[in-house]
Amino acid sequence: MKKILLMVFALLVISISEGFSQVIKVENGLSLSWMKGDNLEQTLPAYSVMLGCDYLEHDWFYMSSEIGYIKKGGKDHIYGFAEELEGGISRVGYANLQSNLHYIQLNTSFRVKHSFNKLNVYLGIAPTLDFLVKEDSYTTTENNKYENDYHANRVVFGIMPELGAFYDAGKMRISLNVSYTRNLSFISKIGKLPCLVNNTLLMSVGIGYKI
């Protein structure tokens, strides 16, 4: 996985050095993430940060590529969780489930834009490729905390429609982006059965510099 990430990052650097890139940018965002499947369907607030570049910019379209960190997952609240307490006493009650999946994401978006002088609005669509860095999943009860393992897949594909706007002020570019990511492959499984698909709604703001 590290070799793939290094290769993709090298390609981004080469594209910049060859003059294809027009704007180097950093974006920070807040997201809501949830699963569809057996559980974890409640939203999990999270954070993301992306380094990217806008390039091949024309009057009505341009390309945008990004690499960065994004957190996905979900939460749930269940009844009927059985645990064994001290003294061999069994207890059935409420439990809270939470899955935190940390990824390095790559995406490349084709964006159709419309200009209002220095203000531009756009619609875009991007394939996404997520590489799992860390899985942190657990169940908590009134008395204990238990680690879970949802056997998260190491690589996950997705699709990301988006809309946004940017404003150019000299060499600086200020942007606002709202995107929705739906995984096309299962993000996790229980036992040997794939069961969970992730959805992530992300709002981010960015600042860029024209080169």
Side-chain angles (χ1 to χ4, degrees):
M1 184 182 73
K2 291 182 179 179
K3 291 182 179 179
I4 295 175
L5 290 175
L6 288 174
M7 182 176 66
V8 174
F9 184 74
L11 289 175
L12 287 176
V13 172
I14 290 172
S15 69
I16 294 171
S17 65
E18 290 295 326
F20 291 110
S21 176
Q22 295 179 340
V23 179
I24 305 300
K25 61 183 180 179
V26 176
E27 292 187 350
N28 293 274
L30 298 176
S31 65
L32 293 175
S33 182
W34 67 97
M35 301 288 196
K36 293 295 289 185
D38 291 345
N39 51 37
L40 301 173
E41 295 188 351
Q42 297 180 12
T43 55
L44 175 72
Y47 171 79
S48 75
V49 58
M50 294 284 179
L51 173 65
C53 55
D54 298 339
Y55 55 99
L56 296 180
E57 191 161 346
H58 296 271
D59 290 339
W60 63 275
F61 76 91
Y62 69 102
M63 302 292 292
S64 181
S65 295
E66 297 175 335
I67 180 172
Y69 165 80
I70 187 168
K71 178 181 173 181
K72 298 184 177 183
K75 299 189 297 182
D76 214 339
H77 186 67
I78 61 172
Y79 180 77
F81 183 82
E83 63 177 334
E84 186 172 328
L85 305 179
E86 294 183 3
I89 301 174
S90 296
R91 179 178 180 273
V92 176
Y94 287 97
N96 296 305
L97 281 68
Q98 182 166 323
S99 179
N100 306 295
L101 304 174
H102 305 270
Y103 291 96
I104 295 297
Q105 183 182 95
L106 306 174
N107 67 70
T108 294
S109 176
F110 176 80
R111 294 174 174 176
V112 176
K113 67 172 184 171
H114 184 76
S115 300
F116 300 92
N117 197 5
K118 294 182 179 181
L119 178 66
N120 294 263
V121 295
Y122 64 83
L123 292 173
I125 187 75
T128 63
L129 189 60
D130 297 337
F131 297 90
L132 183 67
V133 177
K134 180 182 178 181
E135 177 181 0
D136 178 24
S137 303
Y138 52 86
T139 298
T140 55
T141 66
E142 182 180 347
N143 302 287
N144 295 296
K145 180 178 180 179
Y146 306 91
E147 291 187 3
N148 294 338
D149 186 357
Y150 285 94
H151 307 284
N153 292 323
R154 308 299 298 180
V155 181
V156 180
F157 298 93
I159 190 73
M160 183 181 71
E162 59 179 353
L163 60 88
F166 63 85
Y167 180 82
D168 289 330
K171 285 187 170 292
M172 304 302 295
R173 173 171 290 182
I174 301 170
S175 61
L176 173 68
N177 178 277
V178 177
S179 65
Y180 166 74
T181 303
R182 168 79 174 186
N183 287 120
L184 300 180
S185 55
F186 286 101
I187 199 169
S188 187
K189 58 186 178 180
I190 296 177
K192 296 182 178 181
L193 299 176
C195 61
L196 297 174
V197 174
N198 182 261
N199 302 270
T200 300
L201 181 64
L202 172 66
M203 176 179 287
S204 60
V205 294
I207 185 168
Y209 183 79
K210 293 183 180 180
I211 59 173

